Amino acid sequence: MSGSLDEQTAVVTGSSSGIGFGIAQHLASEGANVVVNSRSQARADAAVDEIECSSDLLPIEADVTDRDSLRSLADRTVAEFGSLDIWVNNAGINIRGPAEEISLDEWQTVIDVNLSGTFYGAQVAGNQMIDQGTGGNIINISSMMGEQGQTGRTPYNTSKGGVNNLTRCLAIEWADHDIHVNAIAPGYIETEMVDDAQDQIGFDRQDVVDRTPLGRFGTVDEVANCVTFLAAGDHFMTGEILHPDGGWLAFGWGSKS
């Protein structure tokens, strides 16, 4: 698929590390101009320095919970590259704990970043793509947890369930503008966030492996490949939630061990 995104411009929110960084790197390797975003300009700059490609990269500080900040990011993107063709809503956080102990601030923080931030980004991108009149691809990074309940993750799972239905609603509303809106809902992926969860709550990695039909954690590259496929636009898909989860949801419940 090399060069499949030549002359396209992509924004990836929360792309200074983890899955977002992998997505930015993959899109750039396919020829897209890529805006690398973080709440910290220093982290965005450092991420750009790490990406090896011949595409143009632009680091921009912006907070996804601030719609005006995202509008400014979009305006700078268009001023620099002339268009906005791909927008990936990747920024996300997780706060864990028993539901009865989650504070209002903790709940609101997760909803603000994961759900409202995704809506703000999609709205800003959608308006720009509508004005351009050339269509586009909006890709929301959700989670397989948006399809199920889980102890200690009520704010996160709820926010990702909202992202899934937001994806379907926007896909329907913007189909007439040839704007495809889809989501990627990964399972357990080897990232710093998973490492942090292991440190905080001490889940057993072997339990996850045993619960996953493919028998391992996924990789950032595998998630980024799914995003690149959707971004290339050579498909008849909108309103879809793709699950690179190693078969977790298909398995229902149980363990291979």
Side-chain angles (χ1 to χ4, degrees):
M1 216 177 347
S2 180
S4 64
L5 300 177
D6 287 348
E7 300 182 1
Q8 300 279 297
T9 296
V11 169
V12 185
T13 67
S15 49
S16 63
S17 63
I19 289 175
F21 178 82
I23 292 169
Q25 193 166 42
H26 271 245
L27 295 180
S29 71
E30 293 296 330
N33 305 312
V34 178
V35 172
V36 175
N37 159 252
S38 171
R39 285 178 296 176
S40 160
Q41 186 64 48
R43 289 200 299 270
D45 291 340
V48 164
D49 290 341
E50 289 183 43
I51 296 176
E52 296 181 2
C53 68
S54 59
S55 300
D56 289 329
L57 304 171
L58 179 64
I60 300 181
E61 175 185 355
D63 183 347
V64 299
T65 67
D66 182 345
R67 184 162 47 184
D68 289 339
S69 180
L70 291 178
R71 284 199 186 104
S72 176
L73 182 154
D75 289 344
R76 286 185 60 190
T77 299
V78 174
E80 178 73 18
F81 298 120
S83 68
L84 175 57
D85 310 293
I86 300 157
W87 184 288
V88 183
N89 285 304
N90 168 77
I93 62 169
N94 191 3
I95 296 176
R96 303 170 184 84
E100 67 272 17
E101 297 177 8
I102 294 292
S103 70
L104 179 59
D105 284 346
E106 289 172 329
W107 169 268
Q108 198 62 56
T109 296
V110 175
I111 297 300
D112 284 348
V113 175
N114 294 2
L115 182 54
S116 296
T118 296
F119 172 66
Y120 298 155
Q123 187 182 54
V124 165
N127 276 314
Q128 177 60 36
M129 291 172 183
I130 290 169
D131 288 345
Q132 289 173 186
T134 54
N137 280 282
I138 297 172
I139 302 160
N140 300 323
I141 304 304
S142 182
S143 168
M144 70 175 184
M145 298 305 174
E147 305 285 346
Q148 61 184 43
Q150 191 180 43
T151 301
R153 298 179 70 149
T154 295
Y156 182 81
N157 290 28
T158 301
S159 69
K160 293 303 187 179
V163 167
N164 292 347
N165 219 32
L166 173 65
T167 298
R168 298 181 183 105
C169 290
L170 297 181
I172 294 167
E173 288 209 33
W174 294 340
D176 286 346
H177 300 285
D178 197 28
I179 299 171
H180 297 239
V181 186
N182 293 289
I184 304 289
Y188 281 93
I189 308 298
E190 294 282 7
T191 63
E192 292 178 8
M193 183 179 286
V194 168
D195 291 341
D196 290 344
Q198 186 175 1
D199 292 341
Q200 291 174 17
I201 62 177
F203 73 81
D204 190 324
R205 290 179 62 91
Q206 191 59 46
D207 285 347
V208 173
V209 169
D210 289 342
R211 174 64 179 75
T212 304
L214 288 185
R216 62 177 176 83
F217 282 61
T219 69
V220 169
D221 281 347
E222 288 169 325
V223 176
N225 282 333
C226 293
V227 174
T228 302
F229 162 70
L230 290 176
D234 189 19
H235 52 74
F236 189 50
M237 297 172 60
T238 194
E240 291 293 332
I241 317 297
L242 302 186
H243 295 96
D245 65 358
W248 181 287
L249 292 178
F251 196 22
W253 67 276
S255 172
K256 298 200 303 177
S257 65

